[in-house]
């Protein structure tokens, strides 16, 4: 894999003060007029590396980009209490991070769970959220897609090597990333997994995050999402949908647009289910156009 755009490592305390969390801090172009910073938030089983392809395509920019590992993912500490693995707790951590960095105004880009977090942030402190990008998520989450996620998230044995990790990533995500080839799956594995001291490879998240996804547990998806959506009517929003998504249905997108009188930017990414990587041509074009306006 290429080295990619450099970033500074930033460690911060969680909102409850219990955990040491990690974020990547990509500096803006020196001596350029600064634009609104971006906060990129990953999905349930991912981490900050998930946005590497997008950040590489965006290139050097006059926007500062902050990309955290949510608690229990990547380089952030795991929580000994699995009931804390839920979006409202993650959002509190994000406000703590932003306050520590002195960032008052921002644009949120959220994939799946990260998009739910962005919606929550927009309702909690709308004066700070300049715009929101939702990657394959909305105020109605398909039970079909949730069941698919439940089928693979949680306890699993480490994989023998990176080839096996790439094969496992393909087995889980082939229905979402329809045109991926061998190199793509290896790069995906490198972003999604970590190597253990003995050379084996595991997914880079605490298996206890699965607790919030249990069928009788409602903490993974916040309640009253349509009310939350209606409360975002004054914030510009771009919604990106995978053309084959089993999480964000086309009917949900239509209702999202109706409730905003059509005032929602939208792009659909072909050959993608849940969720687009955001390096696809359709996603990048939509993102660049939206960011120019905000």
């Amino acid at each position: 894999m290429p080295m990619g755009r450099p970033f500074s490592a930033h460690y911060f305390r969680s909102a409850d003060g219990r955990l040491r969390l990690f974020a990547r801090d990509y500096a803006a172009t020196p001596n350029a007029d600064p634009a609104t910073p971006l906060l990129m938030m990953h999905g349930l089983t991912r981490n900050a590396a998930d946005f590497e392809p997008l950040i590489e395509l965006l290139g050097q920019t006059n926007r500062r980009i902050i990309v955290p590992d949510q608690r229990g993912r990547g380089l952030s500490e795991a929580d000994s209490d699995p009931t804390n693995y839920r979006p409202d707790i993650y959002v509190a951590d994000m406000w703590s991070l932003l306050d520590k960095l002195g960032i008052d105004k921002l644009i949120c880009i959220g994939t799946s769970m990260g998009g739910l977090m962005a919606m929550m942030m927009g309702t909690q402190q709308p004066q700070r959220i300049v715009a929101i990008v939702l990657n394959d998520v909305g105020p109605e989450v398909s039970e079909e897609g949730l069941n698919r996620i439940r089928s693979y998230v949680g306890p699993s044995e480490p994989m023998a090597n990176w080839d096996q990790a790439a094969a496992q990533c393909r087995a889980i995500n082939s229905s979402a990333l329809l045109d991926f080839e061998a190199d793509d799956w290896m790069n995906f594995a490198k972003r999604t997994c970590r190597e253990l001291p003995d050379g084996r490879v595991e997914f880079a998240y605490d298996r206890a995050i699965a607790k919030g996804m249990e069928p009788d547990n409602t903490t993974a998806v916040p309640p009253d999402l349509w009310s939350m959506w209606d409360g975002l009517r004054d914030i510009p929003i771009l919604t990106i949908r995978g053309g084959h998504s089993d999480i964000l249905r086309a009917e949900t997108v239509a209702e999202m647009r109706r409730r905003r009188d059509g005032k929602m930017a939208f792009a659909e990414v072909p050959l993608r289910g849940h969720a687009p990587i955001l390096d696809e041509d359709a996603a990048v074009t939509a993102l660049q156009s939206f960011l120019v306006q905000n």
Side-chain angles (χ1 to χ4, degrees), residues 138-238:
E140 189 169 308
V141 180
S142 167
E143 193 66 22
E144 174 191 359
L146 289 176
N147 285 334
R148 180 182 54 79
I149 293 170
R150 290 181 184 117
S151 73
Y152 68 78
V153 68
S156 61
E157 291 296 319
M159 295 154 284
N161 51 46
W162 282 107
D163 286 337
Q164 192 177 103
Q168 182 67 6
C169 287
R170 179 174 184 170
I172 292 171
N173 298 283
S174 60
S175 64
L177 306 169
L178 300 178
D179 59 352
F180 264 34
E181 298 181 353
D183 286 349
D184 299 311
W185 288 118
M186 181 59 73
N187 290 337
F188 184 92
K190 293 283 188 176
R191 296 193 301 270
T192 309
C193 304
R194 57 193 168 204
E195 187 169 332
L196 298 171
D198 63 4
R200 294 183 301 164
V201 178
E202 69 174 3
F203 288 104
Y205 64 84
D206 179 7
R207 301 304 178 268
I209 66 171
K211 294 289 186 181
M213 290 294 294
E214 293 174 349
D216 59 347
N217 193 326
T218 60
T219 58
V221 179
D224 302 321
L225 286 174
W226 281 114
S227 295
M228 188 181 300
W229 178 253
D230 292 339
L232 300 172
R233 67 181 71 255
D234 295 327
I235 298 177
I237 293 178
L238 163 64

Side-chain angles (χ1 to χ4, degrees), residues 80-279:
S80 58
D81 182 356
T83 63
N84 288 327
Y85 288 137
R86 60 180 203 258
D88 59 325
I89 299 290
Y90 306 143
V91 165
D93 292 339
M94 294 303 94
W95 292 129
S96 180
L97 167 63
L98 294 167
D99 291 345
K100 184 71 174 179
L101 293 175
I103 295 176
D104 183 49
K105 303 278 189 180
L106 65 144
I107 294 174
C108 293
I109 299 179
T111 294
S112 193
M113 180 189 79
L116 297 179
M117 293 168 58
M119 291 169 60
M120 294 177 71
M121 293 175 73
T123 56
Q124 288 178 4
Q125 298 192 39
Q127 73 281 4
R128 297 180 68 174
I129 308 302
V130 173
I132 292 173
V133 178
L134 300 175
N135 182 20
D136 210 62
V137 73
E140 189 169 308
V141 180
S142 167
E143 193 66 22
E144 174 191 359
L146 289 176
N147 285 334
R148 180 182 54 79
I149 293 170
R150 290 181 184 117
S151 73
Y152 68 78
V153 68
S156 61
E157 291 296 319
M159 295 154 284
N161 51 46
W162 282 107
D163 286 337
Q164 192 177 103
Q168 182 67 6
C169 287
R170 179 174 184 170
I172 292 171
N173 298 283
S174 60
S175 64
L177 306 169
L178 300 178
D179 59 352
F180 264 34
E181 298 181 353
D183 286 349
D184 299 311
W185 288 118
M186 181 59 73
N187 290 337
F188 184 92
K190 293 283 188 176
R191 296 193 301 270
T192 309
C193 304
R194 57 193 168 204
E195 187 169 332
L196 298 171
D198 63 4
R200 294 183 301 164
V201 178
E202 69 174 3
F203 288 104
Y205 64 84
D206 179 7
R207 301 304 178 268
I209 66 171
K211 294 289 186 181
M213 290 294 294
E214 293 174 349
D216 59 347
N217 193 326
T218 60
T219 58
V221 179
D224 302 321
L225 286 174
W226 281 114
S227 295
M228 188 181 300
W229 178 253
D230 292 339
L232 300 172
R233 67 181 71 255
D234 295 327
I235 298 177
I237 293 178
L238 163 64
T239 298
I240 296 172
R241 177 181 183 268
H244 300 274
S245 177
D246 60 358
I247 285 288
L248 179 61
R249 297 187 182 279
E251 296 84 354
T252 303
V253 173
E255 179 64 9
M256 291 164 70
R257 301 185 83 172
R258 187 193 70 79
R259 290 185 180 226
R260 291 174 64 94
D261 298 321
K263 297 176 182 177
M264 180 188 81
F266 175 68
E268 188 163 276
V269 183
L271 299 177
R272 291 290 179 268
H274 183 75
I277 302 296
L278 296 182
D279 64 346

